[in-house]
Amino acid sequence: MRRSTLISVSILVSIASLTAGVAISAQDKHAVQVPGGVAFSEFRGYEDWPVIAISENGGLIAVIMGNPAMIDAYKQGVPGNGKPFPDGAKMAKIHWNPKKQEAYPGQPTVPGTQHDVDFMVKVSKRFADSGGWGWGAFEYDAASDTFRPADTTDSPPQEHDAKCGFSCHTIVKNRDYVFTEYGKR
């Protein structure tokens, strides 16, 4: 009886250790932050935000989504009406590598593995030196199911701050630094 108890305890300890190891190795994506910039946690729930538009750029498929403040501003005509987006407006842009669904009618191109996710948040005082917007780009590694802040080795290269998107977005300063048009529904 003592031997069976030891075996049972050993099995339970092994299972507990394995479970703990899996839990420790899983990344909490909300803990990732651009050094000196925005954090993934500032965009908690972005996966459920409404779609603003979809795009294909640089061989990647993207969906651009917005939080309620962003969507409300678009519905009121921003930025075409000359008004800026309000503080608290947020956007998320998820990129995927495309894949063909060979067996489906028309062989559509659909999202494959995730490539990265980019964020924008309007907080005028916090990001006064970048048009009121803060940016964050996070590269995804499918093999480890983890995110990391984009850096200067990525394409496009990203600096380690909340202004990583500012230089690209200055060409749409007259649109409050936002490229994306709200798709007609």
Side-chain angles (χ1 to χ4, degrees), residues 122-124 127-135 163 166 173 176-177:
K122 180 79 174 269
V123 185
S124 299
F127 304 114
D129 61 345
S130 57
W133 290 95
W135 285 268
K163 296 186 283 187
F166 186 56
K173 180 179 179 180
D176 196 20
Y177 301 94

Side-chain angles (χ1 to χ4, degrees), residues 25-159:
S25 68
Q27 179 195 45
D28 175 11
K29 67 183 179 184
H30 295 102
V32 181
Q33 179 173 352
V34 172
V38 300
F40 221 106
S41 62
E42 294 179 65
F43 298 86
R44 192 176 299 273
Y46 74 91
E47 302 91 339
D48 297 323
W49 292 349
V51 171
I52 296 169
I54 58 170
S55 69
E56 182 278 325
N57 188 300
L60 299 173
I61 296 172
V63 63
I64 301 99
M65 302 169 311
N67 72 345
M70 191 77 184
I71 298 298
D72 289 347
Y74 271 122
K75 288 180 177 179
Q76 293 171 21
V78 175
N81 62 7
K83 295 182 180 178
F85 287 95
D87 276 10
K90 297 178 182 180
M91 297 175 73
K93 186 175 188 179
I94 304 171
H95 291 100
W96 290 275
N97 296 300
K99 71 175 184 178
K100 274 227 189 276
Q101 292 288 27
E102 301 290 338
Y104 292 10
Q107 299 178 336
T109 300
V110 298
T113 56
Q114 187 171 352
H115 186 273
D116 64 73
V117 63
D118 301 333
F119 297 124
M120 286 177 66
V121 58
K122 180 79 174 269
V123 185
S124 299
K125 289 182 181 174
R126 180 178 171 198
F127 304 114
D129 61 345
S130 57
W133 290 95
W135 285 268
F138 298 89
E139 296 293 315
Y140 178 70
D141 179 56
S144 64
D145 190 26
T146 59
F147 288 90
R148 65 166 177 78
D151 59 32
T152 56
T153 65
D154 294 307
S155 181
Q158 303 291 323
E159 295 296 328

Side-chain angles (χ1 to χ4, degrees), residues 74 79-80 85 133 172-182:
Y74 271 122
F85 287 95
W133 290 95
V172 286
K173 180 179 179 180
N174 65 335
R175 296 182 41 79
D176 196 20
Y177 301 94
V178 175
F179 286 111
T180 307
E181 301 280 341
Y182 187 65

